[in-house]
Amino acid sequence: MESETKAANGTSPSPKPVFFFDIDNCLYPKSARVHDLMADLIDKYFATHLSLPYEDAVRLHREYYQNYGLAIEGLVRHHQIDPLEYNAKVDDALPLDDIIKPREDLKKLLRDIDTSKVRLWLFTNAYVNHAKRVIKLLEIEEFFEGLTYCDYAAPRLVCKPHEDAYEKAMKDAGVERREDCYFVDDSYLNCKKAQEIGWKVAHLVEEGVKAPRTPACNFQISHLDELRTAFPEVFKKPTEAAE
């Protein structure tokens, strides 16, 4: 995978479509419970740094997540919290080495995508440290050309599902046409926005997770392997994949 510097500066326009992959709860399953561990650390951060009773901290965390798509955005907007300090106390404090392991099924899926037809790019609301840490633990750096992340050091946080975040990802990856963008994410709001702006989208809703009453987009899948059915045009033919 190329460095985050390339992603920040953008690349030359791509002659090929780009497939954007979310990272957390997408490239590894929700059953890993990373989200639950992160939520607990965020609740504790709210309680400690905002001097709130724990129940109020949990409520405010949920409110900011629902309103902004990212708890840190609410903290920065309303409480002038240093986002890099927050990242150190939350994302960087997660014991990921004990939780996230390489997955052969994921590697096979990525290997079977035809990179003569589409380029692979990571697109996450996490900060760069966490994103690169997860990808390294999954041992899949080689498959992706770059990474678009939420820059906690920037004066303004730009994250999914804000339209600016999708525009930034396209600029970073060097793709100009929205119809040339494929996307998979576990977030309903992120998928809904991507569909609205013209991307080709698959919403990952794992088995055991309650499906939304109204689908977020054209494709709803329960496993990443179902991307083969949703977007067969970006995969190698069976004979090519076997080679």
Side-chain angles (χ1 to χ4, degrees):
M1 185 179 71
E2 298 289 346
S3 71
E4 67 273 14
T5 302
K6 177 176 177 180
N9 295 335
T11 63
S12 57
S14 172
K16 291 184 287 189
V18 173
F19 204 133
F20 294 95
F21 280 76
D22 177 44
I23 297 178
D24 290 303
N25 295 323
C26 187
L27 295 180
Y28 61 81
K30 282 184 184 290
S31 58
R33 303 188 69 84
V34 172
H35 178 79
D36 294 342
L37 290 170
M38 186 180 294
D40 186 52
L41 288 172
I42 294 173
D43 290 338
K44 290 176 180 176
Y45 187 93
F46 271 68
T48 301
H49 288 75
L50 303 183
S51 301
L52 293 173
Y54 190 75
E55 288 185 0
D56 290 346
V58 172
R59 177 191 56 76
L60 191 61
H61 167 199
R62 303 297 182 271
E63 180 181 317
Y64 287 168
Y65 184 81
Q66 291 172 0
N67 289 346
Y68 304 119
L70 207 59
I72 180 63
E73 186 166 349
L75 286 171
V76 171
R77 282 193 186 203
H78 302 294
H79 308 281
Q80 293 73 53
I81 291 293
D82 179 352
L84 293 179
E85 181 204 20
Y86 166 92
N87 181 72
K89 299 287 187 181
V90 178
D91 289 21
D92 288 354
L94 290 166
L96 298 181
D97 298 47
D98 302 325
I99 301 170
I100 296 177
K101 306 296 181 184
R103 295 173 47 213
E104 290 306 315
D105 60 334
L106 175 61
K107 290 182 182 180
K108 185 178 188 313
L109 175 78
L110 296 173
R111 199 177 295 119
D112 287 349
I113 293 175
D114 190 342
T115 52
S116 71
K117 297 177 180 176
V118 67
R119 298 166 54 229
L120 302 186
W121 200 271
L122 296 159
F123 183 20
T124 178
N125 275 349
Y127 188 51
V128 62
N129 299 9
H130 175 80
K132 296 183 82 171
R133 189 176 166 206
V134 171
I135 298 308
K136 184 176 181 180
L137 289 171
L138 288 170
E139 298 180 355
I140 56 174
E141 302 106 312
E142 66 184 282
F143 297 104
F144 294 92
E145 294 189 24
L147 162 68
T148 295
Y149 58 92
C150 184
D151 187 358
Y152 290 2
R156 173 177 170 262
L157 296 181
V158 178
C159 61
K160 299 174 286 185
H162 297 297
E163 188 167 337
D164 288 352
Y166 300 87
E167 295 293 341
K168 181 178 185 297
M170 291 178 66
K171 181 180 178 182
D172 288 349
V175 60
E176 295 182 338
R177 302 192 310 165
R178 292 180 173 185
E179 58 266 33
D180 285 339
C181 298
Y182 292 85
F183 181 52
V184 59
D185 197 309
D186 68 294
S187 164
Y188 179 92
L189 292 177
N190 295 350
C191 290
K192 185 172 183 288
K193 173 57 70 172
Q195 172 98 4
E196 287 174 358
I197 66 173
W199 287 20
K200 300 179 177 74
V201 188
H203 181 204
L204 177 62
V205 182
E206 283 187 29
E207 292 181 8
V209 175
K210 186 177 180 181
R213 184 175 300 178
T214 304
C217 51
N218 289 341
F219 298 100
Q220 183 172 295
I221 61 176
S222 59
H223 192 281
L224 285 179
D225 214 52
E226 293 174 43
L227 291 173
R228 300 175 189 272
T229 304
F231 307 122
E233 67 273 17
V234 306
F235 283 87
K236 298 173 183 174
K237 296 177 182 177
T239 52
E240 296 172 328
E243 293 177 356

